[in-house]
Amino acid sequence: MADKTARRPITATAVIVLGVCLALLGGIGAWLLLGRDTTPPCNGLPANDRVRSSVGQDIGPDMSCQALGEAIVKASTGDAQGRHSLAQAQALKDVMTALGAQGTGELALDPALRRPLATALADYAPDLHAMLGGIGIQDFVTKAAPATPPWKSDDGTYHLTVLTDTLRDVLHAVAQDPHSYALLRLTETRTTGQRLAAVPADAEGFGLSVPPTESARALATLDGIAEAVTRDLDTSQAQAWRTAVLDGLADDSGSAADGVAAAWLRGFRSTAEEERYESLRAQGVEMTRLWAQQRKMDEQTRQGLLAKVERGALSAYREIEP
């Protein structure tokens, strides 16, 4: 006679039921440990005392992230000539510093804040250019500490300057939105054109080589950020992101009618669509080439300059770890 105390075999159904129960228990435990949502609203900016002080005391926990973004743009945007007051530059610095403190390389920006921050940063185009280029930035480096106020240049405007890691983290988070990235890319394209046009006709040595090299480094840094963004996407998502960026660059109607920036944009728009994104990687060198042609630079000087610019761009790209 069989032993009635012997264990019966566990059926497949029992195994499934047991697994579901364990999963539920694990989920409940995680919920109790971590809470339902550990991310503060709007990246915690409404609760940050410095942000509330500089952006506006009306900021509160019940404010939508869209309204917060509008408040940031309003508080930080300068006048029609591109000049910024101390309060305006301080407002954007406080916002970026608060975001930068949330973890190097790990900033997950609320989607509603991406375009407002891109808009605000674009209003500081010369400062963004200098920080991205990383050459003529002595004042930017010495004034970058979070507690140091923005600095004032001889023309009376105050300048935005933040730590390099903070700038890159915020740009990476903003660039998750391809339209925001396209805006920043167009901003840098125009600023590069202005910087090259301002080089004196008799410039030589560093006076001739620094402006195009700094510009190429700024563009290459944006290349590295784009690569870092698309690396985290699947193939179809990455392609959609690139397409949106290209459309934003191709549809721009605010460029100057002449100059190096306009010439490069015309060439970019005439490039076959399947080759456009790759052409961005060569933008700094190509804009230098166009600039050298417009200046009727002799061949030896032109070739030496292009080599320096290409090395500078490659170095800047490698500083971003995609």
Side-chain angles (χ1 to χ4, degrees):
M1 188 173 180
D3 185 357
K4 294 183 179 181
T5 61
R7 293 184 179 181
R8 294 179 180 178
I10 300 176
T11 65
T13 301
V15 171
I16 293 174
V17 171
L18 179 61
V20 170
C21 292
L22 291 174
L24 287 173
L25 287 173
I28 291 171
W31 183 85
L32 291 172
L33 178 64
L34 301 175
R36 296 172 67 181
D37 186 1
T38 59
T39 304
C42 306
N43 290 86
L45 295 178
N48 185 286
D49 290 339
R50 289 183 66 91
V51 172
R52 292 188 63 188
S53 175
S54 59
V55 175
Q57 290 296 332
D58 291 338
I59 293 176
D62 297 330
M63 173 180 267
S64 70
C65 296
Q66 179 180 353
L68 174 61
E70 293 171 356
I72 291 171
V73 172
K74 181 179 179 180
S76 61
T77 300
D79 62 21
Q81 285 72 45
R83 294 188 297 261
H84 296 93
S85 67
L86 174 59
Q88 289 165 343
Q90 187 67 60
L92 188 53
K93 177 166 184 172
D94 286 342
V95 169
M96 294 188 66
T97 298
L99 292 173
Q102 295 181 14
T104 302
E106 300 175 356
L107 176 60
L109 187 64
D110 188 287
L113 295 176
R114 291 169 183 163
R115 295 198 195 187
L117 277 174
T119 300
L121 284 167
D123 202 59
Y124 291 78
D127 301 340
L128 185 61
H129 173 86
M131 288 187 288
L132 288 172
I135 295 181
I137 58 168
Q138 180 176 352
D139 287 317
F140 290 89
V141 171
T142 58
K143 307 295 194 304
T148 305
W151 59 281
K152 185 180 181 182
S153 56
D154 293 338
D155 64 357
T157 191
Y158 285 85
H159 295 271
L160 172 69
T161 173
V162 296
L163 298 174
T164 299
D165 286 344
T166 293
L167 177 67
R168 292 178 178 177
D169 287 347
V170 172
L171 288 178
H172 180 270
V174 167
Q176 303 295 321
D177 171 43
H179 303 285
S180 297
Y181 178 85
L183 170 61
L184 294 174
R185 187 88 193 198
L186 278 170
T187 298
E188 179 51 42
T189 297
R190 297 190 192 109
T191 306
T192 287
Q194 293 165 2
R195 285 291 183 267
L196 295 179
V199 177
D202 59 350
E204 57 184 16
F206 289 120
L208 182 68
S209 64
V210 167
T213 302
E214 181 177 58
S215 297
R217 282 183 54 85
L219 290 163
T221 299
L222 291 177
D223 288 333
I225 289 171
E227 186 67 22
V229 169
T230 54
R231 175 202 60 189
D232 296 330
L233 304 176
D234 63 33
T235 302
S236 61
Q237 290 173 329
Q239 184 57 46
W241 188 92
R242 295 185 183 107
T243 298
V245 168
L246 296 177
D247 288 346
L249 294 173
D251 292 343
D252 172 62
S253 59
S255 301
D258 54 16
V260 175
W264 181 83
L265 283 167
R266 285 194 297 270
F268 170 77
R269 291 166 188 151
S270 65
T271 302
E273 290 187 12
E274 63 272 15
E275 298 175 3
R276 281 182 183 173
Y277 191 77
E278 188 61 30
S279 72
L280 291 181
R281 288 288 301 274
Q283 184 180 357
V285 176
E286 184 57 27
M287 289 188 73
T288 302
R289 192 188 314 278
L290 290 168
W291 176 64
Q293 290 174 355
Q294 291 182 2
R295 288 173 69 95
K296 295 180 170 50
M297 198 175 290
D298 67 81
E299 184 64 15
Q300 182 177 355
T301 302
R302 185 174 72 91
Q303 291 297 339
L305 181 61
L306 288 172
K308 289 180 181 178
V309 168
E310 189 168 11
R311 288 195 298 270
L314 181 60
S315 174
Y317 178 79
R318 288 175 173 171
E319 290 173 13
I320 307 292
E321 297 183 359

